[in-house]
């Protein structure tokens, strides 16, 4: 038996040092991470299993993995999946790191994103789409946010969870349509056929390509509206307008792509590759076999600094570390600022009269009074009570007694109480995250407003009031 190579060896979180959070999706957190063996940087997408199951997203996640697996490393215009692994609670996707962010940020900078850039990246996008369609896959959620840049400013198409795999071979004409029950994708880029009969086809991606080209050229989306409904109405009526000064060749190409009837879109009738799009005047003179170097959008230093991963971090990812990364690295220095602003008076420094007065007011006007057994509330506020990566928002009520109740503010039901004892301890991790340690449990808490230190301070004061030793 041959020994496993570095490539084939099963990976675990401890093979990586996890650095800053690059972004968060609806059910994932993406970290910048460094391979401890090679020093190479990756983007690791971490998905909480229980959340995926709860949200019924298993199919979406599996599809993303499968599509990325099919694409492998054979097309440079897609984010590459290097490894996947899992532990008890989470799935990990090790992806190529898109160091220079997404194209939307660049499109918004009209000074640097010229028509030359639009032409170059439209060509890269077209090559990516051709490759995908050649594999029998429809992306179905092409939009500028899903077009990232690698360190050399080449496009990396991402977010393949909504993709549809028709076949692994080049599709035949009659296979090009597929039924779905509900609309997938993003309102502004969704094609009319997906709205009218929930039917997506390769041409749906060509529609999105037309929308993206429009946006690359003028900075605006073609179909805009105050609500999804209004956007959909405009798409169905093909109601959009070119702003003044819109490049004439680009305009012609957009018009030939934004056609209600999918079969009539430019490229729909092409046998192999999208030769009619390649040959459009907008791309005149462009050699699709060698697009040349990308336009200069930013200097090296416009991307992220060389290493975002501090050396002192240990490999692996536990909950504490995940939380610390989310806040410490994004908001350095905040801890010391917050610390200075804490009041000097102890929360328990109350005269009997004051207690009576406040209790009277609380009985009359505090919606949470019924949960606190007529104890005076010293401090209350929303706190996210974390379990795994996910959190439940609770109203925390610190009262005389002492008690630390927590209530579900939506159903207005008492959910529990943190038990007091001489062994109760607080620990602030940063301005948002804090722990309350009890002999049997560690409560993992987050103050969304960033007053974790204040929570720790007042809980400690109550503790020393009732448990002076
Ligand atoms: P949703 O799942 O809600 O559709 P999403 O697709 O943006 O959102 P993710 O794919 O988990 O969710 O990505 C979350 C964010 O992480 C992205 O918006 C992006 O900013 C960042 N990100 C994702 N992949 C990479 C990558 N390969 N390199 C750098 N940053 C990335």
């Amino acid at each position: 038996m041959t020994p496993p190579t570095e490539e084939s060896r099963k990976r675990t979180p401890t093979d990586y040092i996890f650095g800053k959070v690059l972004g968060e999706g609806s059910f994932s957190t993406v970290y910048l991470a460094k391979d401890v063996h090679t020093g190479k940087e990756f983007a690791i997408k971490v998905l909480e299993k229980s959340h995926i199951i709860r949200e019924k997203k298993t199919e979406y996640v599996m599809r993303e993995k499968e599509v990325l697996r099919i694409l492998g490393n054979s097309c440079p215009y897609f984010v590459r999946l290097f490894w996947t692994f899992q532990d008890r609670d989470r799935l990990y996707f090790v992806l190529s790191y898109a160091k220079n962010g997404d194209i939307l940020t660049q499109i918004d900078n009209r000074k640097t994103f010229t028509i030359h850039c639009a032409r170059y990246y439209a060509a890269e996008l077209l090559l990516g789409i051709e490759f995908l369609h050649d594999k029998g896959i429809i992306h179905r959620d092409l939009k500028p946010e899903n077009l990232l840049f690698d360190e050399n400013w080449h496009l990396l198409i991402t977010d393949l969870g909504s993709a549809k795999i028709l076949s692994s071979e080049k599709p035949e004409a009659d296979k090009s349509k597929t039924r779905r029950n509900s609309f997938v994708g993003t309102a502004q880029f969704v094609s009319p056929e997906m709205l009218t009969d929930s039917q997506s086809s390769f041409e749906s991606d060509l529609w999105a390509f037309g929308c993206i080209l429009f946006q690359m050229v003028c900075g605006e989306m073609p179909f805009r509206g105050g609500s999804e409904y209004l956007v959909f109405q405009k798409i169905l009526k093909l109601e959009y307008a070119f702003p003044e000064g819109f490049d004439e060749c680009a305009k012609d190409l957009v018009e030939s792509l934004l056609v209600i009837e999918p079969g009539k879109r430019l490229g729909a009738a092409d046998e192999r590759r999208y030769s009619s799009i390649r040959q459009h005047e907008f791309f005149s003179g462009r050699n699709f076999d060698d697009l040349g170097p990308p336009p200069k959008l930013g200097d090296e230093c416009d991307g992220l600094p060389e290493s975002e991963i501090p050396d002192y971090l240990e490999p692996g990812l536990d909950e504490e570390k995940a939380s610390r990364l989310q806040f410490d690295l994004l908001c350095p220095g905040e801890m010391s600022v917050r610390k200075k602003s804490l009041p000097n008076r102890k929360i328990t420094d109350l005269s009997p009269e004051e207690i009576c007065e406040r209790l009277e007011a609380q009985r009359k006007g505090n919606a949470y009074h019924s949960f606190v057994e007529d104890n005076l509330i010293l401090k209350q506020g929303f706190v996210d009570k974390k379990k795994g990566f996910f959190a439940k928002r609770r109203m925390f009520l610190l009262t005389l007694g002492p008690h630390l109740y927590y209530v579900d503010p939506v159903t207005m039901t008492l959910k529990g109480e943190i038990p007091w004892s001489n062994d109760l301890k607080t620990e602030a991790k940063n301005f948002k995250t804090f722990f309350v340690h009890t002999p049997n449990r560690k409560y993992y808490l987050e103050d969304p407003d960033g007053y974790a230190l204040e929570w720790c301070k007042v809980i400690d004061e109550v503790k020393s009031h009732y448990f002076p030793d």
Side-chain angles (χ1 to χ4, degrees):
M1 212 166 83
T2 45
T5 61
E6 191 50 39
E7 288 281 313
S8 66
R9 189 177 58 78
K10 197 86 197 128
R11 298 259 152 173
T12 72
T14 52
D15 285 308
Y16 301 93
I17 298 174
F18 287 78
K20 66 177 276 179
V21 173
L22 294 171
E24 290 194 306
S26 331
F27 34 88
S28 54
T29 304
V30 181
Y31 295 89
L32 173 59
K34 189 149 69 178
D35 186 314
V36 292
H37 312 283
T38 62
K40 265 189 83 174
E41 287 180 335
F42 295 96
I44 302 191
K45 186 164 174 164
V46 181
L47 304 111
E48 187 89 5
K49 287 181 192 174
S50 58
H51 187 55
I52 293 164
I53 293 165
R54 203 168 45 240
E55 299 293 314
K56 301 190 173 56
K57 292 291 177 189
T58 315
E59 195 196 333
Y60 179 96
V61 174
M62 296 319 287
R63 194 178 314 123
E64 178 162 36
K65 180 178 164 185
E66 176 61 4
V67 173
L68 287 167
R69 195 194 56 76
I70 294 171
L71 298 181
N73 64 350
S74 38
C75 180
Y77 303 119
F78 287 90
V79 160
R80 187 177 157 194
L81 178 66
F82 290 87
W83 290 279
T84 57
F85 49 87
Q86 53 179 304
D87 54 25
R88 203 194 56 189
D89 300 322
R90 302 177 205 138
L91 302 173
Y92 298 80
F93 287 13
V94 182
L95 302 162
S96 32
Y97 171 35
K99 198 167 188 166
N100 282 309
D102 64 33
I103 202 170
L104 187 63
T105 316
Q106 298 300 328
I107 291 176
D108 285 345
N109 185 354
R110 304 308 301 157
K111 276 201 204 112
T112 52
F113 205 88
T114 59
I115 187 75
H116 170 59
C117 298
R119 192 173 291 114
Y120 186 89
Y121 289 114
E124 286 203 338
L125 177 58
L126 186 64
L127 288 176
I129 295 174
E130 281 181 351
F131 181 85
L132 195 68
H133 290 187
D134 246 26
K135 295 267 178 202
I137 300 167
I138 315 170
H139 188 292
R140 301 201 299 185
D141 197 13
L142 287 171
K143 56 180 173 179
E145 290 96 315
N146 289 338
L147 305 179
L148 308 179
F149 287 116
D150 71 9
E151 58 187 345
N152 299 314
W153 292 97
H154 288 291
L155 273 197
L156 290 175
I157 303 171
T158 185
D159 210 356
L160 290 131
S162 306
K164 180 86 188 171
I165 308 168
L166 295 184
S167 77
S168 53
E169 299 301 315
K170 188 160 170 62
E172 295 150 25
D174 63 345
K175 278 200 206 154
S176 70
K177 287 195 164 57
T178 169
R179 283 215 153 263
R180 267 198 60 89
N181 298 328
S182 58
F183 133 76
V184 293
T186 304
Q188 286 82 359
F189 298 85
V190 74
S191 57
E193 65 275 15
M194 282 169 84
L195 292 175
T196 46
D197 50 8
S198 306
Q199 208 166 61
S200 59
S201 60
F202 292 103
E203 291 80 40
S204 311
D205 283 349
L206 295 181
W207 172 278
F209 177 63
C211 294
I212 296 168
L213 176 61
F214 183 102
Q215 194 170 351
M216 286 202 279
V217 174
C218 70
E220 301 282 352
M221 290 178 284
F223 304 101
R224 301 183 296 275
S227 68
E228 279 197 351
Y229 176 78
L230 292 175
V231 173
F232 293 160
Q233 292 304 309
K234 288 189 174 173
I235 291 171
L236 292 170
K237 288 192 237 155
L238 200 60
E239 199 180 300
Y240 73 103
F242 292 98
E244 220 170 285
F246 198 99
D247 180 271
E248 282 301 322
C249 292
K251 181 175 171 185
D252 190 81
L253 179 52
V254 169
E255 279 173 339
S256 60
L257 291 162
L258 298 187
V259 175
I260 296 282
E261 176 64 49
K264 293 196 175 139
R265 284 175 206 149
L266 190 67
D270 292 351
E271 280 291 310
R272 195 166 175 267
R273 294 182 175 155
Y274 289 118
S275 47
S276 56
I277 303 179
R278 286 181 178 212
Q279 283 155 19
H280 188 274
E281 207 189 338
F282 178 66
F283 290 121
S284 108
R286 181 106 1 245
N287 174 7
F288 276 84
D289 292 327
D290 178 10
L291 294 178
K296 207 160 165 49
L297 279 178
D299 298 329
E300 273 301 290
C301 59
D302 281 357
L304 296 167
E306 247 337 279
S307 184
E308 288 280 328
I309 305 176
D311 292 336
Y312 58 81
L313 294 177
E314 291 284 314
L317 186 73
D318 55 26
E319 282 177 22
E320 277 183 45
K321 196 182 287 173
S323 167
R324 226 172 299 153
L325 290 173
Q326 264 163 341
F327 301 112
D328 283 359
L329 294 178
L330 292 177
C331 312
E334 279 280 350
M335 282 281 264
S336 49
V337 175
R338 302 261 167 167
K339 240 178 205 160
K340 279 184 202 139
S341 58
L342 297 183
N344 286 330
R345 190 186 179 207
K346 279 193 186 151
I347 200 161
T348 43
D349 288 348
L350 292 167
S351 66
E353 294 76 34
E354 252 179 302
I355 293 177
C356 282
E357 228 171 78
R358 280 179 53 178
L359 199 49
E360 203 47 46
Q362 180 183 304
R363 285 183 192 124
K364 282 189 198 139
N366 191 326
Y368 290 91
H369 178 75
S370 59
F371 301 107
V372 296
E373 301 165 284
D374 211 33
N375 288 303
L376 179 68
I377 299 172
L378 299 171
K379 178 175 167 65
Q380 74 181 75
F382 290 114
V383 169
D384 293 331
K385 191 163 159 285
K386 291 196 82 179
K387 255 196 176 170
F389 269 126
F390 300 97
K392 292 207 169 101
R393 184 147 296 183
R394 298 286 178 246
M395 173 58 79
F396 265 65
L397 303 155
L398 175 66
T399 72
L400 290 180
H403 294 276
L404 192 41
Y405 305 96
Y406 47 93
V407 173
D408 181 336
V410 178
T411 58
M412 284 304 268
T413 45
L414 181 69
K415 286 296 178 186
E417 175 175 351
I418 296 183
W420 282 91
S421 73
N422 203 13
D423 296 318
L424 181 142
K425 281 192 188 68
T426 64
E427 182 192 353
K429 273 291 156 213
N430 50 55
F431 68 92
K432 276 195 171 182
T433 307
F434 64 108
F435 306 121
V436 176
H437 300 271
T438 65
N440 296 323
R441 191 168 161 191
K442 175 177 175 182
Y443 293 82
Y444 196 102
L445 306 167
E446 258 179 40
D447 180 339
D449 294 327
Y451 290 99
L453 295 172
E454 191 172 325
W455 272 109
C456 290
K457 178 178 180 281
V458 294
I459 294 170
D460 289 347
E461 283 170 8
V462 171
K463 187 188 159 192
S464 58
H465 182 77
Y466 286 99
F467 303 93
D469 298 330

